[in-house]
Amino acid sequence: MQTVIDALNPSTLQQALWRISYAPVGADYLRTVVPWLAQTLQAQRVMVTRAIDQPVTRVRVVAASPANGDSFLLAGRPCELVYRGQPLALVSGLAASFPQGQVEGCDSYHGFPLLNAEGLCDGHLFLGFAGATALPDWLQTLLTELCVRLGAELRHMQQENRLQAAEHQLALHNRVLHLASANTPLVTVLDTLLQGIEAEHPGVMCSIMAPDRQGKHLHLLSAPSLPAGYLAAIEGVAIGPGVGSCGSAAYSHQRVIASDLAQHPYWVNFRELAVQYALGSCWSQPILSGERLLGAFAIYHPHPCVPGQEDFAMIDRVSDLTGQLLLHHETMEALRLKSEHYQMLLRHGADGTVVLDRQGNFLEVSDGFLKQIGASSSEAIQGTRIWDWSANLDQSKVLKLLQNHREQPLILQTTMRHVDGSLWDAEITTTAVQIDGQSLIWASARDVTERKKLEAALLREARLDSLTGIANRGNFLQALEKEVARARRYPQPLSVLMLDLDHFKAINDRYGHSTGDDVLRTLCRESAPLLRKEDLMGRLGGEEFAILLPHTPLAEAGEVAQRLLARILDMAVPVPEYQERIHFSCSIGVATLTAEDRRFDTLLSRADKALYQAKEAGRARVALG
């Protein structure tokens, strides 16, 4: 019986796919391609998943048609085989072959792995059809090639998500610390923290509980989104083994992951409560200071949910910050009640803490601050003032800050010195306080050196192609959009080259993907000397590249393309196992910005059309658009 797929035209399908997918990147690309595949192939279900953990036992759906954001275990599902790195085709009988992993309404399954640079599967493309459905060879080839781009965009999406999450976390962290340092009520500080977490992770509901003085029961400190009826039911819950997630975590001092409340043994006595308030999972983390229990942080989901590495990192991060806030609250309460014993502030502070007079003299110094500067005792700071330990704030600036400091807390980023002269990045929070009738400055220093390194690394990952080291697709398109706007504002020529390696698939098929990767790296590395500092080369996907040439009219761009082509034809990649040196070629399309180019992607599209003209004319040549 003929299906919709049998009536498809390969060339028309590939052109349609290119039209809808050349501009989107990352999550937008996945959200565009997945429903298009479902509609075009008349599939019952199409989805892209990514690995949650390593080795892979759990995956999360990142794009699906129809929409579904669940995570699930691989065991017993057909994609378990795909995550081993090989495509899987099950033309019919899905329910009989995989009774645990069947998808409602699907009788056939086709799965394609999304492989990373190491050849490991970190995601997969799923196609499910209502009836027995086989895919023709040409469609399997197209989907296999599509998976290269899907994998790249999936990794790009994860990099963007990590960078965006890091930015949100930093902003939330600073906002919460600002509130805490301003002596804001603890419940307001914790509500702000949990509301920020819930905003970053839509659908989750969080709570923080603290033990009573006897350490027998937990009482709610903050739970801004959980139902009032549920909160009333769990207020004062016992700390003990098997008492839900929070009671058990507080008792064992170990994280408790109840991914399915209907099945988890710790929730036997709370299942009706979970059903009543539509709660599907609860992950709880004890908040500890050494062996001392400060509280329990919990994350609820409305459906069964399995945490991944990013979730665990978030849980640890929030628990650590909450512990600092609880300790800080305890310290400030002690200081408020007994100002003459303000040394408690130094003993309980989570970071390096000092108390200064308005002239910058050290009055008290915590062990944490001495450790931060690499000093073994307070003798190291005798005779010094606070500005002696700053690498970028001079005496006059620090004195002005100290003497003008009022009640409003200040948070600043600076560079500090170690005893040996080396530098470290610090985040300083300062508050003006009255202690024993004296107007003093309380300051807390946090070492953020590693955090800044991580932020810089995430920023590099988000902008560069991991294989070739040149600009990735998203970075290149952003640069192109800016250059087009600049060329219109200050009329000047702007050209784009589109490059595509000729017969690249044949190289991969004969010599392997590792050699193919060497070809791509060689192309980028040896093309760089022919480009100016202001030019930008980017990898758009697979073996397709683009070069941005500011201040360059069409004729000069054509000359650049000819020189580049000549250089590429002279390149060679050794393959020792074959005792050969591979020579390769490429086709180049050239286009220059015109008044008719309303958008930056119009210019890119004209360069791409010129590229295809070069290919149709015999390849290894330049075509002007």
Side-chain angles (χ1 to χ4, degrees):
M1 182 178 67
Q2 189 176 38
T3 66
V4 171
I5 294 175
D6 295 324
L8 293 175
N9 179 276
S11 177
T12 302
L13 184 67
Q14 189 149 21
Q15 291 177 8
L17 175 59
W18 185 88
R19 281 196 300 271
I20 63 109
S21 65
Y22 79 93
V25 295
D28 290 339
Y29 177 83
L30 295 172
R31 285 192 290 263
T32 299
V33 169
V34 166
W36 180 85
L37 285 173
Q39 181 180 3
T40 303
L41 303 181
Q42 292 293 290
Q44 184 77 6
R45 184 163 181 74
V46 177
M47 64 181 177
V48 173
T49 68
R50 69 171 174 88
I52 289 180
D53 53 3
Q54 289 292 340
V56 184
T57 61
R58 299 163 292 178
V59 300
R60 179 159 290 149
V61 178
V62 296
S65 182
N68 187 330
D70 290 340
S71 61
F72 56 85
L73 294 169
L74 284 180
R77 299 175 184 269
C79 54
E80 180 181 14
L81 303 177
V82 180
Y83 267 85
R84 296 176 186 174
Q86 294 296 326
L88 174 66
L90 192 66
V91 175
S92 64
L94 175 62
S97 301
F98 296 93
Q100 297 178 24
Q102 60 177 300
V103 178
E104 185 176 354
C106 293
D107 186 53
S108 59
Y109 167 91
H110 296 271
F112 299 84
L114 308 182
L115 303 178
N116 59 28
E118 290 73 36
L120 300 176
C121 179
D122 54 15
H124 104 300
L125 169 65
F126 167 102
L127 300 174
F129 297 89
T133 303
L135 301 183
D137 291 344
W138 66 265
L139 182 54
Q140 292 190 46
T141 299
L142 185 148
L143 293 172
T144 300
E145 294 173 348
L146 173 64
C147 284
V148 175
R149 171 86 184 272
L150 283 172
E153 298 298 347
L154 178 63
R155 289 185 288 276
H156 177 76
M157 180 193 75
Q158 291 176 268
Q159 291 169 352
E160 287 186 326
N161 289 346
R162 284 196 296 269
L163 182 61
Q164 188 177 48
E167 294 173 345
H168 289 167
Q169 291 156 15
L170 179 61
L172 177 61
H173 182 96
N174 289 339
R175 186 162 67 251
V176 169
L177 285 182
H178 179 81
L179 291 174
S181 64
N183 296 323
T184 305
L186 180 63
V187 64
T188 302
V189 177
L190 297 180
D191 281 351
T192 300
L193 172 61
L194 296 191
Q195 287 166 349
I197 298 300
E198 291 169 352
E200 286 181 31
H201 304 271
V204 309
M205 296 164 285
C206 302
S207 71
I208 296 172
M209 306 184 81
D212 57 18
R213 291 183 180 274
Q214 293 73 36
K216 302 294 185 181
H217 299 86
L218 291 173
H219 297 285
L220 282 160
L221 294 180
S222 175
S225 300
L226 283 162
Y230 178 75
L231 297 179
I234 66 170
E235 170 61 25
V237 67
I239 296 175
V243 185
S245 296
C246 291
S248 301
Y251 176 81
S252 65
H253 288 197
Q254 298 291 325
R255 179 186 294 152
V256 172
I257 301 297
S259 56
D260 187 349
L261 301 187
Q263 304 294 330
H264 202 280
Y266 292 178
W267 281 76
V268 169
N269 297 326
F270 301 91
R271 282 177 186 161
E272 291 183 6
L273 191 65
V275 171
Q276 180 182 355
Y277 292 100
L279 301 176
S281 68
C282 178
W283 314 334
S284 184
Q285 171 93 348
I287 303 170
L288 305 172
S289 177
E291 292 300 315
R292 178 187 167 207
L293 177 70
L294 300 179
F297 165 60
I299 299 178
Y300 294 82
H301 294 80
H303 50 75
C305 193
V306 179
Q309 293 173 341
E310 295 170 0
D311 296 315
F312 287 131
M314 181 269 287
I315 292 170
D316 288 335
R317 188 169 54 249
V318 175
S319 298
D320 289 344
L321 178 56
T322 303
Q324 294 169 20
L325 295 172
L326 294 176
L327 287 172
H328 175 71
H329 176 72
E330 287 183 357
T331 300
M332 295 307 292
E333 278 297 293
L335 181 63
R336 183 180 66 82
L337 296 172
K338 277 192 171 185
S339 62
E340 66 273 17
H341 297 300
Y342 65 84
Q343 290 86 352
M344 294 181 66
L345 174 68
L346 304 175
R347 301 298 168 256
H348 287 77
D351 298 316
T353 308
V354 299
V355 177
L356 308 168
D357 64 17
R358 296 282 181 158
Q359 286 71 46
N361 296 301
F362 292 98
L363 301 182
E364 295 289 347
V365 181
S366 73
D367 293 341
F369 182 75
L370 293 176
K371 184 177 179 180
Q372 285 176 335
I373 65 173
S376 57
S377 70
S378 59
E379 293 180 0
I381 65 167
Q382 288 181 1
T384 68
R385 298 193 185 185
I386 185 62
W387 53 76
D388 295 319
W389 300 95
S390 174
N392 56 0
L393 295 176
D394 60 28
Q395 177 179 344
S396 61
K397 289 182 180 179
V398 178
L399 273 175
K400 183 178 180 181
L401 183 151
L402 293 174
Q403 294 172 3
N404 294 333
H405 203 329
R406 296 297 177 258
E407 294 181 358
Q408 185 68 21
L410 298 176
I411 299 176
L412 64 143
Q413 305 279 338
T414 187
T415 303
M416 301 290 287
R417 301 183 193 277
H418 292 108
V419 171
D420 63 7
S422 60
L423 305 180
W424 56 287
D425 294 313
E427 180 181 83
I428 309 292
T429 302
T430 64
T431 304
V433 294
Q434 291 289 325
I435 300 178
D436 293 339
Q438 262 189 301
S439 177
L440 304 175
I441 303 297
W442 170 88
S444 175
R446 165 162 296 179
D447 190 336
V448 294
T449 304
E450 292 304 316
R451 188 178 77 194
K452 286 185 171 293
K453 289 180 181 177
L454 175 60
E455 291 170 358
L458 289 173
L459 188 61
R460 284 194 301 272
E461 287 182 13
R463 291 180 175 178
L464 299 182
D465 176 61
S466 58
L467 176 65
T468 61
I470 64 174
N472 61 21
R473 182 183 181 87
N475 188 12
F476 181 86
L477 293 179
Q478 289 177 0
L480 175 60
E481 186 173 15
K482 290 179 181 178
E483 286 297 334
V484 167
R486 184 180 292 114
R488 291 192 181 285
R489 190 179 304 115
Y490 311 105
Q492 56 191 15
L494 173 67
S495 296
V496 171
L497 310 185
M498 288 283 286
L499 291 77
D500 189 273
L501 280 166
D502 298 327
H503 305 297
F504 184 67
K505 184 177 183 300
I507 295 175
N508 277 334
D509 290 344
R510 179 173 180 183
Y511 299 101
H513 288 276
S514 177
T515 299
D517 291 345
D518 287 342
V519 169
L520 298 179
R521 284 189 286 260
T522 300
L523 170 66
C524 297
R525 183 181 63 253
E526 298 194 17
S527 296
L530 278 70
L531 302 177
R532 302 167 301 179
K533 182 173 66 174
E534 62 267 29
D535 300 335
L536 179 66
M537 186 175 189
R539 185 183 180 195
L540 302 188
E543 66 273 23
E544 189 174 54
F545 299 85
I547 299 177
L548 181 60
L549 301 174
H551 314 291
T552 308
L554 184 62
E556 289 184 19
E559 293 173 2
V560 173
Q562 292 289 357
R563 289 196 298 270
L564 193 59
L565 177 60
R567 180 70 189 92
I568 291 170
L569 291 174
D570 195 43
M571 294 178 188
V573 173
V575 188
E577 56 267 38
Y578 285 85
Q579 296 184 342
E580 293 184 27
R581 289 173 61 84
I582 300 175
H583 290 272
F584 50 91
S585 66
C586 76
S587 301
I588 304 178
V590 186
T592 295
L593 185 68
T594 67
E596 288 73 30
D597 293 325
R598 300 299 180 188
R599 290 170 45 86
F600 72 94
D601 49 8
T602 307
L603 172 60
L604 199 65
S605 178
R606 289 196 298 103
D608 192 64
K609 288 179 181 177
L611 167 64
Y612 277 93
Q613 290 173 4
K615 283 190 174 292
E616 290 174 358
R619 293 184 172 84
R621 63 194 64 217
V622 174
L624 304 183

